[in-house]
Amino acid sequence: MVAETMEGIFSMKKWKSILVGLSCLSILLAAGEIPASASDEIPEQSIIYWSMWEEDEPQAEVIREAADAYQEATGISVEIQWKGREIRSLIGPALDAGEEIDLFDDDYQRMVQEHGIYLTDLKKIAASVDYEKHVMPILLEQIERWGKDKLLTMPYQPYITGVWYNKDLWEKAGLTDEDIPETWQKLLRVCRKLKISDIGASPMACDSAYLDLLFGYQLARYVGQDQAVRIIKNDTWDQVPEALQAAEDIRTLFWTGYMSEISPAEFPEGQNQIGNEEAVMFLQGSWGPNEVMENTHCDIRWGFFPWPSVNDGVDGTEGLMAGAQGFGITDRSEKKQEAFDFAYSICTGENDMKITDAVQSVPADTENAQWPEAIAEASDYLDKMKKTYMWAAGLETADYKDGLQRELVKLTKLEETPEEFIENLSNMK
C-alpha cells in the first residue's frame, strides 16, 4: 500500500488538511491505510512551483523525488519550472503580469525584503503542525524581524559563513588549534607563518564574486551591522573613519601577498586553490567546502573559524553571517495549504537530510542534529552566535552594489588606494 511505501518519508497526517470534504479518504490517510488506488479518487490538481535550482543540480533531484512522493500520497501534482538563480529578477515581473504561481524559492532574506509584497503570512497554517519548532531560532528571528512578525518564508538549506581551511596544510606549516585567530592581528600573524613556511601554498585565496564578504565582515566588526547598513543607505563612507580602516585592512591582505597571486580570481578559480593545495584558507559560506571538493576531486579535512574581531570594534566573533534558501507561497494562490504541505516535506525530516547529504549543507530541521563531516566544526559556533549578520553584513542591500563591487575589485587588485576607494563610494549616489 502507498502508506507503507511512504513510511519514513512523510507522516500521512501532514496531508489531512489537503483533503477537506473527503472525510473517508482523510480517515484512511490519518490511519496510514490508504490503498494505492485511492489517489484516483482525488480531483486532479497541481501546484505551480518556480524553482531557484537548475534541473541537473543535486537539490533538484531531491525536490523531484519529494514532488513524486507528494503526488503519490495526495493525487496533487507539482508542476516544477526550473528557473535557476535568475529567479531573483524573473519572479517579480511574472507575478506583476498575473502569472499563476503558487510556490517559489530564493534567498530567504530576499524573499522577505524584496518579494514580501507577493507572499502570504504562513503563521496560522504553520501552527497546525508546530512548524516553527523545526526552524533554527536565529533564522526565525530574522524572518520575523524583516517581515514585521509575519512568517513569509520557510527556510531550508541553511548556511553560515566563516573561514574554512585545509587542516593538513595548517598542521604541516606547524600551526595548531591554539593558533586559530580570534583577532585581526592574530590572523595576520597566521598568514605570515603560512607564507614563510615551506608548504608551498598561499595563506588565503578568494574569488572576486565574494569580495563583499571580506569587506562586509571587516566593516561590521568595526561599526556593527546596523551602522554599516546606515553608511550604505546614506552613502556616508567618507564620514566614517572605520570605513577607510576596513578598506586598508582588506587591501593589506593583497599587497602583502597573503592572498594568492590570482586573487581576486574568477569564480571558482580562487576557492579551488584550496582543493589543489595552492592556498590554505578562504572566506565562504558553508556550501564552499563541498564545491571545492567536487570541483577539484579532493578529500580535505576542513577546519573553521569565524571572521576575527578588530581593535576597538563594536562586534566580535559572536557575529556571523547566516542565512538560508526559503520557500514562499504567493498571496493570490488558491492552494496555500497544499503548497505549504509540499514545502514542509522538503524543509523537515528525511528530505531535509537528503539535501544536507547531497550538498554537505547545514540541516534545516532542528530535529536533524547531525551535520556533514566536512562542515561539522562550524556547528560548535552556532551556540556562540549572538548576532546574525545579513549577507555581506548589508552590502547586498546597496542600490549601487554593482558599482561597489567594481570598486572592491580595483581596491584588491591594487589599482586604487583605500582613500580613492572611499571617495569613489561616496560619489555613488
Side-chain angles (χ1 to χ4, degrees), residues 169 269 271-279 292 295-298 300:
L169 289 179
E269 294 177 6
Q271 66 180 41
N272 284 351
Q273 289 191 289
I274 315 299
N276 294 327
E277 297 194 344
E278 297 167 344
V292 169
N295 291 342
T296 62
H297 308 289
C298 67
I300 291 179

Side-chain angles (χ1 to χ4, degrees), residues 307-344:
W307 192 252
S309 61
V310 297
N311 287 338
D312 300 319
V314 171
D315 289 347
T317 55
E318 77 282 357
L320 280 174
M321 292 179 202
Q325 317 309 331
F327 285 109
I329 298 171
T330 61
D331 196 45
R332 70 170 69 131
S333 172
E334 296 180 356
K335 306 181 188 71
K336 293 182 177 67
Q337 181 68 61
E338 292 89 338
F340 174 86
D341 290 338
F342 172 64
Y344 180 82

Side-chain angles (χ1 to χ4, degrees), residues 7-145:
E7 185 177 357
I9 300 178
F10 299 111
S11 166
M12 300 310 294
K13 292 180 181 178
K14 295 177 185 176
W15 313 125
K16 284 182 67 178
S17 57
I18 302 171
L19 303 168
V20 174
L22 300 173
S23 56
C24 292
L25 184 54
S26 294
I27 293 170
L28 289 171
L29 282 165
E33 297 177 355
I34 178 172
S37 61
S39 61
D40 296 337
E41 302 174 29
I42 305 174
E44 184 176 350
Q45 300 181 64
S46 62
I47 298 167
I48 308 300
Y49 162 42
W50 278 27
S51 175
M52 65 175 287
W53 306 109
E54 303 286 353
E55 58 183 324
D56 60 350
E57 292 186 280
Q59 295 91 338
E61 183 177 349
V62 176
I63 289 170
R64 268 193 299 267
E65 290 178 0
D68 290 343
Y70 179 83
Q71 181 172 1
E72 186 176 6
T74 67
I76 302 171
S77 65
V78 182
E79 304 299 327
I80 306 174
Q81 296 188 32
W82 306 105
K83 300 296 183 180
R85 306 310 183 269
E86 291 305 309
I87 196 169
R88 66 187 64 180
S89 59
L90 297 175
I91 193 67
L95 290 169
D96 288 339
E99 186 86 29
E100 184 181 350
I101 303 169
D102 299 299
L103 179 73
F104 66 97
D105 50 7
D106 194 3
D107 174 82
Y108 90 132
Q109 180 182 343
R110 190 160 43 241
M111 290 288 292
V112 179
Q113 294 187 330
E114 297 183 22
H115 308 322
I117 58 174
Y118 305 109
L119 301 176
T120 191
D121 183 2
L122 301 171
K123 273 193 175 289
K124 288 184 179 179
I125 298 177
S128 66
V129 289
D130 203 10
Y131 165 65
E132 291 187 6
K133 77 174 184 181
H134 294 277
V135 184
M136 288 184 180
I138 56 173
L139 300 182
L140 186 60
E141 178 184 338
Q142 291 281 69
I143 292 167
E144 293 181 337
R145 182 166 65 86

Side-chain angles (χ1 to χ4, degrees), residues 74-230:
T74 67
I76 302 171
S77 65
V78 182
E79 304 299 327
I80 306 174
Q81 296 188 32
W82 306 105
K83 300 296 183 180
R85 306 310 183 269
E86 291 305 309
I87 196 169
R88 66 187 64 180
S89 59
L90 297 175
I91 193 67
L95 290 169
D96 288 339
E99 186 86 29
E100 184 181 350
I101 303 169
D102 299 299
L103 179 73
F104 66 97
D105 50 7
D106 194 3
D107 174 82
Y108 90 132
Q109 180 182 343
R110 190 160 43 241
M111 290 288 292
V112 179
Q113 294 187 330
E114 297 183 22
H115 308 322
I117 58 174
Y118 305 109
L119 301 176
T120 191
D121 183 2
L122 301 171
K123 273 193 175 289
K124 288 184 179 179
I125 298 177
S128 66
V129 289
D130 203 10
Y131 165 65
E132 291 187 6
K133 77 174 184 181
H134 294 277
V135 184
M136 288 184 180
I138 56 173
L139 300 182
L140 186 60
E141 178 184 338
Q142 291 281 69
I143 292 167
E144 293 181 337
R145 182 166 65 86
W146 295 328
K148 298 180 180 177
D149 291 328
K150 293 180 180 178
L151 181 65
L152 296 178
T153 188
M154 301 168 68
Y156 73 103
Q157 194 181 310
Y159 65 83
I160 63 172
T161 61
V163 180
W164 306 90
Y165 64 94
N166 184 321
K167 295 187 77 168
D168 289 333
L169 289 179
W170 182 275
E171 292 168 3
K172 187 176 178 181
L175 298 173
T176 69
D177 289 348
E178 298 298 318
D179 294 296
I180 292 175
E182 295 183 353
T183 68
W184 174 249
Q185 291 302 320
K186 287 182 179 179
L187 176 62
L188 294 180
R189 287 200 289 271
V190 164
C191 286
R192 175 159 179 77
K193 288 180 182 179
L194 290 169
K195 185 176 173 60
I196 65 176
S197 72
D198 59 1
I199 61 174
S202 299
M204 300 188 76
C206 75
D207 293 296
S208 59
Y210 293 102
L211 289 174
D212 56 352
L213 289 188
L214 280 168
F215 184 61
Y217 254 129
Q218 196 71 353
L219 179 62
R221 290 300 192 240
Y222 279 112
V223 302
Q225 179 174 255
D226 290 345
Q227 173 67 353
V229 170
R230 285 193 289 271

Side-chain angles (χ1 to χ4, degrees), residues 207-418:
D207 293 296
S208 59
Y210 293 102
L211 289 174
D212 56 352
L213 289 188
L214 280 168
F215 184 61
Y217 254 129
Q218 196 71 353
L219 179 62
R221 290 300 192 240
Y222 279 112
V223 302
Q225 179 174 255
D226 290 345
Q227 173 67 353
V229 170
R230 285 193 289 271
I231 295 169
I232 295 161
K233 180 179 179 180
N234 299 322
D235 202 14
T236 54
W237 296 97
D238 57 355
Q239 300 174 32
V240 182
E242 293 88 350
L244 175 61
Q245 184 62 56
E248 291 175 348
D249 292 345
I250 296 307
R251 193 173 185 271
T252 295
L253 293 175
F254 291 83
W255 71 259
T256 55
Y258 293 160
M259 279 287 180
S260 69
E261 289 186 1
I262 71 167
S263 296
E266 288 297 315
F267 176 82
E269 294 177 6
Q271 66 180 41
N272 284 351
Q273 289 191 289
I274 315 299
N276 294 327
E277 297 194 344
E278 297 167 344
V280 181
M281 302 179 285
F282 74 131
L283 175 64
Q284 182 56 289
S286 45
W287 59 81
N290 184 62
E291 287 183 346
V292 169
M293 292 189 292
E294 285 196 344
N295 291 342
T296 62
H297 308 289
C298 67
D299 185 14
I300 291 179
R301 287 195 306 127
W302 291 97
F304 174 88
F305 58 86
W307 192 252
S309 61
V310 297
N311 287 338
D312 300 319
V314 171
D315 289 347
T317 55
E318 77 282 357
L320 280 174
M321 292 179 202
Q325 317 309 331
F327 285 109
I329 298 171
T330 61
D331 196 45
R332 70 170 69 131
S333 172
E334 296 180 356
K335 306 181 188 71
K336 293 182 177 67
Q337 181 68 61
E338 292 89 338
F340 174 86
D341 290 338
F342 172 64
Y344 180 82
S345 76
I346 296 171
C347 297
T348 61
E350 187 172 332
N351 283 325
D352 171 48
M353 282 308 300
K354 284 183 178 180
I355 290 179
T356 295
D357 293 337
V359 295
Q360 302 290 288
S361 64
V362 178
D365 189 343
T366 56
E367 295 187 1
N368 291 332
Q370 187 64 44
W371 287 34
E373 182 179 356
I375 61 172
E377 284 204 3
S379 65
D380 294 339
Y381 289 94
L382 273 185
D383 292 337
K384 302 174 184 177
M385 184 167 61
K386 306 301 181 185
K387 296 181 179 180
T388 308
Y389 288 172
M390 296 182 287
W391 182 256
L395 294 187
E396 187 74 9
T397 65
D399 55 13
Y400 50 92
K401 61 186 177 184
D402 291 340
L404 195 158
Q405 172 69 12
R406 288 192 295 271
E407 294 302 319
L408 280 170
V409 171
K410 288 193 289 186
L411 176 73
T412 54
K413 286 188 173 182
L414 310 183
E415 295 173 356
E416 66 182 16
T417 66

